[in-house]
Amino acid sequence: MTLLIRHLRLRAETSSGPFGADIPFSTGLNVLWADNTKGKSTSLQGLLYALGLERMLSSRREIPLTYVMTSHLEEDDKAGVKHTILESSVSVELENGDGQVITVRRAVKSTKDTRLVTVFQGPQLTNPAGQFEQRDYFVIDPGAAQREAGFHRFLAEFMGWQLPRARRFDGSETILYLETVFPLLYVEQKAGWSSMPAAFPNYLQIRDVGRRAVEFLMGLDTHELELRRQQLDMDYSASSSAWSAKRSEILSVAGLANARIQGISATPTISAADIEGAFLQAPSGDRWQPLDEITSVLRSHVAKLREAEIPTAEDTSDAAAGELNQLIEIAAEQNASRNALFRARQAEIVQLASVQRRVAALEEDLQKNLDAQKLRNFGSQITTAFAADHCPTCSQPIQDTLLAQQASATVMPVEDNIEYIRSQRTIFQRLRAQGEAAISSLDQRLAAATVDVNNTNSRLRALRADLVAPSHSPSTASLEERLRAEARLDTLEDVQQQFEQHKLALIELAARHARILAERQSLPADRLSSEDQAKLNRMTRLIQQQASSYGFTTFPAGEIEIAPDSFRPQKEGFEIGFELSASDAIRLKWAYHLALLELSRTDRTNHPGFVVFDEPRQQAAREISFQRLLERAATAKAAGQQVIFATSEDRGRLEGFLTNLDCSYQAVDGYMVKPLTGLQQF
């Protein structure tokens, strides 16, 4: 799983002829020297641009190359003379671990769209006479990393990478894009050295993007475990939401019969037996009765009504008169009962409002006491200076009342106040929940009482109609009673049937919830497996060794640790930050990136085997530190790896550092991009 950068080419066609730069690279340490502002950073950023990785530097869709490749350029011996760029492009020749070589070309300024990338299936730069198959791909646009015509999908496959799935902040799933991994391989001059371990792009909205990138590059198993843990967390939330939605549906269905649910909790349960035992209750007079019992009684009553013949008005006149008098009394009692329920509901609402005001006041008091405690812990004296029984000017004790004070009480400390307020808040929160439940129950009973009153009034109207109807006409009261009973029975049976269907759905949700809980329980408690921890320990030792070699002095290099949850350097459990000197921060960054590279020599990782440093000697790091860095980087050749440095370090000192090192050194006088003649144009 390696990637070797073999050759980099920049070409610009100007109004005065062709210009360009050719930079060959080999395995081991490659040092590119040029003076400041001569184009070496532009050349290296051309590598990123050719690979469509410019958005790892900025979320803006802009070409990261300077005016030398986009507008105009100058010659070394013709100061002030500008040559207008007509067309320009960048090409890079790459070789993977299987020995396959490709050449990637991308236009910078052209009549073609700059999102187009052309891939030659061979060493088109080092063997220009060869004839190689070519294919076009696209970058930057959505799908570039996943669709067949996307260049980043092709590049990942060429490198032997299978990019893992990652979770976005909104919960959706995506892949770990190349732009999130390459900051660990390429440290650019402007922002790359200011972040540890790297300046990761956040515009992709990937959760813990830095940690995900390091996990992938190190080849840790925890990446898949973490993804599975996140997926299970989302499944758990989805299961809980589905349970709540299903319970809400049941409540709506139960409301058709003014019923309430018994045996189904507001949170998911995994017990099918508990769900099977759930039932509905409906009000029957002053008590709640199981709905199936009410339905059974009503079914028997309807059956009797259907068996009996419809009597005439004459047959029911005597009974109707007696029932009429009874129903008048019953209607009065029902109205009185309903009014009592309404008054009880209003009283509960008033009580609930009072409890809610009390909870809000306790919340405010608790926050004030917590703030006072915080200020006191910070060392503030203001909270004690303005005591109510002391003068705020001279601090002498004063009495704030004209009455004699015979008894005094000890003021509770703020900690006791906080505990007392919290206990009070808990009590009133429970009272609030009880009040809300009581109002809900009263609403159901009030609705049932209203139905009873309406039925009684309807029966009264039917009986009165029978008393004045022709003697041989069918009894209106008997017909209405039968129709009303049948309609009520149909409603209750439909509610009961829907309830049973919803119970079956809840049983399925419970089984699903049980599987989720079981799988969550089966995941290891620790994020890192023993193999991952051993790999992290080896990387930590590599960082410690290098930091010590580079002259890290802020504290003993042996105390540097790598946090297992973020993979950032830490000391004694605290992330290393402002306590580092600027030069030690650079030394630590050198060590981190090279440790990732060196770890792949002994462990299975996804590291492609190359690192690029643009101006590595930042913050005036000592010369001996830079020399040790060069020596360490030169060991990459024996492992078949590649380290590329671009620097404007003092040329004489640099060449002295490189004297005894096995490396490739290129020094460019003047501008990197120069006029081309003859065969140089190709």
Side-chain angles (χ1 to χ4, degrees), residues 22-26 30-34 651 658 664-668:
D22 279 276
I23 309 171
F25 298 106
S26 61
N30 295 260
V31 180
L32 175 64
W33 181 90
R651 185 170 178 176
L658 300 176
S664 173
Y665 172 58
Q666 301 175 66
V668 179

Side-chain angles (χ1 to χ4, degrees), residues 651-668:
R651 185 170 178 176
R653 286 197 299 268
L654 176 64
E655 292 175 351
F657 295 155
L658 300 176
T659 300
N660 298 318
L661 296 181
D662 184 6
C663 67
S664 173
Y665 172 58
Q666 301 175 66
V668 179

Side-chain angles (χ1 to χ4, degrees), residues 3 207 215 258 279 297 315 322 330 353 366 394 415 490 494 508 512 543 625 644 648 651:
L3 184 70
R207 292 182 185 178
E215 287 173 351
N258 294 319
F279 61 95
V297 172
D315 294 336
I330 292 174
L366 178 61
C394 64
E415 290 82 3
D490 289 342
D494 182 59
E508 292 180 4
R512 172 187 169 192
I543 292 175
S625 299
I644 299 174
S648 56
R651 185 170 178 176

Side-chain angles (χ1 to χ4, degrees), residues 633-647:
T635 63
K637 187 168 188 177
Q641 297 176 327
Q642 186 178 53
V643 178
I644 299 174
F645 287 175
T647 180

Side-chain angles (χ1 to χ4, degrees), residues 304-381:
K304 292 179 181 179
L305 291 176
R306 287 171 177 170
E307 291 174 358
E309 294 183 2
I310 301 298
T312 64
E314 183 180 5
D315 294 336
T316 61
S317 60
D318 294 338
E323 185 180 354
L324 182 64
N325 294 328
Q326 293 178 357
L327 285 179
I328 291 174
E329 296 178 1
I330 292 174
E333 293 175 357
Q334 288 177 338
N335 278 311
S337 176
R338 187 178 62 167
N339 290 336
L341 288 173
F342 181 79
R343 289 192 297 272
R345 181 180 181 276
Q346 292 302 110
E348 287 289 348
I349 290 175
V350 172
Q351 180 66 23
L352 179 60
S354 175
V355 171
Q356 288 175 332
R357 288 194 298 271
R358 181 57 179 157
V359 170
L362 288 170
E363 293 283 3
E364 183 180 358
D365 288 347
L366 178 61
Q367 191 58 58
K368 288 180 178 179
N369 277 269
L370 289 171
D371 290 343
Q373 184 186 44
K374 179 183 292 186
L375 292 173
R376 190 198 62 184
N377 292 339
F378 287 171
S380 172
Q381 300 296 320

Side-chain angles (χ1 to χ4, degrees), residues 196 536-537 539-541 543-544 552 555-564 566-576 588 592:
M196 175 63 69
L536 185 62
N537 292 340
M539 179 178 166
T540 302
R541 288 193 293 271
I543 292 175
Q544 293 171 347
F552 185 93
F555 51 81
E559 296 180 4
I560 298 174
E561 304 168 349
I562 301 299
S566 65
F567 302 106
R568 297 172 63 87
Q570 65 177 18
K571 178 180 182 291
E572 297 178 351
F574 294 96
E575 188 173 306
I576 298 174
L588 186 57
Y592 195 100

